[in-house]
Amino acid sequence: EAGVTQFPSHSVIEKGQTVTLRCDPISGHDNLYWYRRVMGKEIKFLLHFVKESKQDESGMPNNRFLAERTGGTYSTLKVQPAELEDSGVYFCASSPRREATNAYEQYFGPGTRLTVT
Amino acid sequence: AQSVTQLGSHVSVSEGALVLLRCNYSSSVPPYLFWYVQYPNQGLQLLLKYTSAATLVKGINDFEAEFKKSETSFHLTKPSAHMSDAAEYFCAVSDRRSQGNLIFGKGTKLSVKP
C-alpha cells in the first residue's frame, strides 16, 4: 500500500509569487490534514478535510492560503501571494474513516519544504 | 483547550543506555496520545499511541510509553539506545471525541553517542 505522497519535496520562490503544494493521501482515507512547521517552532495544524468537505480550517493563517480537495482524493494547498513568514515545512497526513479500527492514526507524508526569499 | 509540553529540546544518550523522553499534556477531555518519530529527510512515523486501552503502550523498535492520568504524562522510554534511534521525536494529543487535528509538542532531538 502506497503511503502519503507530497509534491514537490522542495520549493524556493520569491516573495509575491504563487506556489501550489500537492498531497496524495493513502487510497481510501476519508480524512486529510495539512500541518506546517515553521523553523524552530512546533508542528501546527492548518486544516482538515473529510472527503471533499472542509471539516475544520481554524488553523489557516490568513486568506492567502487556499486548500482544495476536489473529488475527495488528492488535495492542493495554494499560497498566493507568498510572504517570507510562509517559509517552513508543510506536512500532509491522512487517516481512515471513523469506523476503521485505526481511525485515529494519522499517516504523514514526507513534507514539502517551502522557502520564500 | 489541549496542549503538549516536551521537556528538553535536545537529549543525548550513550549507545546502550536508557532513553527517556518526557511529555506532559493538558486536556479538558480524555485524550488520545501519540508519539511520532522523524528521521532525517523523512516524514513523521507513528511510534505508538494511547487510545484508552492499556496504560502501558508498546510501539515499534522496542519503544514504549506509559499513560499516567494523575501526572498528565506520557513519557517515552526505550531500555537500550541504538545509533539508529537518533531522530526527532514528537508527542501529540488529540480529542478522542472526533477525528480532529493533532496538537504537537515542540519536539525532542535525540542524539546517540557511540
Side-chain angles (χ1 to χ4, degrees):
Chain A
E1 177 183 272
V4 177
T5 58
Q6 293 186 244
F7 182 83
S9 57
H10 292 84
S11 180
V12 181
I13 61 172
E14 294 183 353
K15 176 182 173 181
Q17 290 186 320
T18 298
V19 63
T20 300
L21 313 181
R22 173 171 169 143
C23 168
D24 286 79
I26 293 172
S27 178
H29 279 193
D30 287 350
N31 297 282
L32 187 149
Y33 309 81
W34 283 99
Y35 294 86
R36 177 175 73 172
R37 190 183 194 194
V38 172
M39 187 181 297
K41 304 282 189 178
E42 63 267 38
I43 300 167
K44 287 203 167 180
F45 166 78
L46 296 178
L47 88 159
H48 170 203
F49 285 99
V50 178
K51 298 184 181 180
E52 66 276 7
S53 299
K54 291 177 184 175
Q55 180 76 14
D56 180 357
E57 53 184 330
S58 61
M60 294 287 263
N62 50 60
N63 59 10
R64 295 185 294 104
F65 289 75
L66 175 64
E68 294 180 325
R69 191 182 183 195
T70 308
T73 55
Y74 72 91
S75 174
T76 58
L77 180 64
K78 180 189 288 187
V79 184
Q80 179 182 30
E83 298 289 345
L84 298 179
E85 64 264 26
D86 300 332
S87 295
V89 180
Y90 290 76
F91 292 103
C92 175
S94 70
S95 69
R97 62 176 60 88
R98 181 182 299 276
E99 295 75 26
T101 55
N102 58 342
Y104 292 89
E105 293 182 23
Q106 294 187 23
Y107 299 84
F108 280 77
T112 293
R113 182 174 297 278
L114 174 65
T115 302
V116 183
T117 63
Chain B
Q2 297 175 309
S3 66
V4 174
T5 301
Q6 289 184 242
L7 293 176
S9 57
H10 289 84
V11 170
S12 182
V13 300
S14 297
E15 191 173 20
L18 171 71
V19 176
L20 170 60
L21 304 183
R22 298 179 187 274
C23 172
N24 288 88
Y25 70 92
S26 172
S27 179
S28 58
V29 297
Y32 283 160
L33 293 159
F34 306 83
W35 275 98
Y36 282 86
V37 60
Q38 185 180 25
Y39 298 104
N41 301 314
Q42 295 187 29
L44 279 73
Q45 179 181 358
L46 181 65
L47 266 181
L48 48 79
K49 67 179 180 183
Y50 166 76
T51 57
S52 80
T55 56
L56 182 63
V57 181
K58 295 188 183 297
I60 61 173
N61 299 335
D62 295 328
F63 282 95
E64 63 181 37
E66 186 172 8
F67 172 67
K68 291 187 176 181
K69 184 178 180 180
S70 61
E71 298 177 9
T72 60
S73 68
F74 191 56
H75 302 329
L76 181 71
T77 61
K78 179 172 179 174
S80 176
H82 192 272
M83 297 296 290
S84 60
D85 294 327
E88 190 162 19
Y89 292 79
F90 297 91
C91 182
V93 64
S94 73
D95 181 349
R96 68 168 56 185
R97 295 173 304 180
S98 69
Q99 285 185 279
N101 54 294
L102 294 171
I103 296 170
F104 285 89
K106 291 189 175 182
T108 298
K109 287 187 178 177
L110 176 66
S111 301
V112 182
K113 300 174 290 186

